[in-house]
Amino acid sequence: MSTTMSAAMNRALPLLAAPVAFFAAFFAVPMIVVVSSSLMAGGVPSLGNYARVLFDQYHWDVLAATFRIAGLTTVACALLGYPLAYYLVRVVKSAALRRTCVILLVLPLFTSNIVRSFGWMVLLGRNGLVNDALVGVGILDRPMRFLGTELGIVIGLVYILLPFIVLAVGNALAAVDPALEDASSDLGATPFDTFRTVTFPLCLPGLMSGIVMVFTLAVSAYVTPALLSGGKITVFPMLIFQQYSTVFDVNYGGALSMTLLVMTLVLVGLAGWIGNAGASATGRKAQ
C-alpha cells in the first residue's frame, strides 16, 4: 500500500509544481514583501506605520466610508441579484432564452472597469440620461447630483458587481431539487413557506459566497470610486494607490494595505459566522 501511495505521490508532484510555483510567485512572495515592508521605518523594524494608521482619525473616517460603500453595494446586489437569479432559474423555461440572458449579464465583464465607469460618469451627470429620466417622469423637480457622492459610487459598483452574485445564487438554485419544493407543497405548505423553509436555506451558501465576493471586490475597488467620486470622496484603496504611486512610501502603503486586508477578513469571517448560525437556526426551525 505504501509503495502504491509513494508512486501516486511521485506522479502527482510534477502536476502540483506549476500551481505551487504560481501561488508562491504571485501571492505568497508579494504578500511577504508587503508585510515585511509595512514593519519597516527608516530602515529599521518598527510598528510606527501601523501607529500612523490606527491612531489617526482621518484613516478611520476613510475606512468607515470604504466599508459603508461596500456594505451598501453588497446589500443592493443581494436585493437585486437574488430575484434576478430566481427568475432566470425558476421562471425562464427556455434554455436558449436563459443562456441569452446569462450572456447579456456577463458580457459587460469583458469591458474594462475604466470604460464602464466613464460611461456612468456620462449617465449620472447633471444633464445625463438618469437625471433627464427622473425629471421627465416627475420624480425630481431639478437634476440631482450623483457624481461626487457615495450614491453615485454605489450605483457604479452595483452595475459592475451584480453579475457575480447572480451567478453564485443561480448555480445554488439550479442545484436545488425541484422535487423538494413539490413535496413541501404537497404537504400543505404555502409558496412562501416553501421558499422560506426549503428553497432559501438550500441556496443560502451560494448567496453567502456571492455576498463575500461582492463585498471583497467593492472594498478593494479603486477605479470606480476614483472616477465617480470626482475627488470629493476618498476610499482606502485610493490612499494605498497614492502611497505607492505618488508618495513612493512603500512602508506606509504596506501598513495601509495590511490594515484593509485584516479589517476585511474580520468582517468577512463575522459575516460567515452569522450566515452559518442563521442557516443552522433555519434548519432546526424547519425540522
Side-chain angles (χ1 to χ4, degrees), residues 96-109:
L97 179 59
R98 188 182 301 116
R99 284 195 296 268
T100 302
C101 293
V102 172
I103 291 173
L104 293 176
L105 180 68
V106 302
L107 194 60
L109 296 178

Side-chain angles (χ1 to χ4, degrees), residues 131-144:
N131 269 316
D132 288 346
L134 293 176
V135 173
V137 299
I139 297 178
L140 297 177
D141 295 330
R142 58 181 181 273
M144 177 181 178

Side-chain angles (χ1 to χ4, degrees), residues 10-239:
N10 292 333
R11 289 194 297 269
L13 286 177
L15 299 177
L16 293 174
V20 170
F22 182 89
F23 175 82
F26 295 101
F27 181 80
V29 173
M31 182 64 67
I32 293 173
V33 171
V34 172
V35 172
S36 60
S37 65
S38 69
L39 296 174
M40 301 293 292
V44 296
S46 172
L47 295 175
N49 294 311
Y50 289 97
R52 290 176 61 188
V53 176
L54 298 177
F55 294 104
D56 189 343
Q57 184 60 39
Y58 171 72
H59 292 100
W60 287 105
D61 293 339
V62 174
L63 195 63
T66 302
F67 286 126
R68 183 169 58 249
I69 291 172
L72 292 173
T73 300
T74 304
V75 171
C77 284
L79 293 178
L80 295 174
Y82 194 99
L84 180 56
Y86 189 90
Y87 174 80
L88 291 176
V89 175
R90 287 288 188 264
V91 178
V92 177
K93 302 301 182 182
S94 172
L97 179 59
R98 188 182 301 116
R99 284 195 296 268
T100 302
C101 293
V102 172
I103 291 173
L104 293 176
L105 180 68
V106 302
L107 194 60
L109 296 178
F110 295 94
T111 306
S112 169
N113 284 351
I114 299 176
V115 175
R116 288 183 284 175
S117 297
F118 270 116
W120 277 108
M121 290 178 65
V122 176
L123 292 174
L124 296 176
R126 295 189 65 85
N127 297 318
L129 180 62
V130 174
N131 269 316
D132 288 346
L134 293 176
V135 173
V137 299
I139 297 178
L140 297 177
D141 295 330
R142 58 181 181 273
M144 177 181 178
R145 185 168 71 90
F146 288 102
L147 298 179
T149 65
E150 291 186 5
L151 176 60
I153 298 175
V154 169
I155 292 174
L157 288 176
V158 168
Y159 166 74
I160 292 173
L161 301 178
L162 183 62
F164 293 98
I165 203 164
V166 173
L167 294 177
V169 174
N171 287 332
L173 281 170
V176 176
D177 189 354
L180 297 175
E181 299 170 325
D182 295 337
S184 176
S185 300
D186 293 340
L187 292 173
T190 64
F192 176 75
D193 288 335
T194 298
F195 173 80
R196 180 177 58 85
T197 60
V198 178
T199 308
F200 185 77
L202 290 176
C203 66
L204 185 58
L207 177 62
M208 291 305 300
S209 65
I211 286 175
V212 169
M213 282 192 294
V214 169
F215 182 78
T216 53
L217 290 173
V219 164
S220 60
Y222 168 76
V223 172
T224 301
L227 293 177
L228 297 182
S229 68
K232 296 181 175 63
I233 298 175
T234 303
V235 294
F236 229 71
M238 295 168 64
L239 289 181

Side-chain angles (χ1 to χ4, degrees), residues 250-271:
V250 295
N251 304 125
Y252 189 40
L256 290 171
S257 302
M258 293 309 302
T259 300
L260 180 61
L261 176 62
V262 171
M263 293 289 186
T264 303
L265 291 177
V266 169
L267 290 178
V268 169
L270 181 62

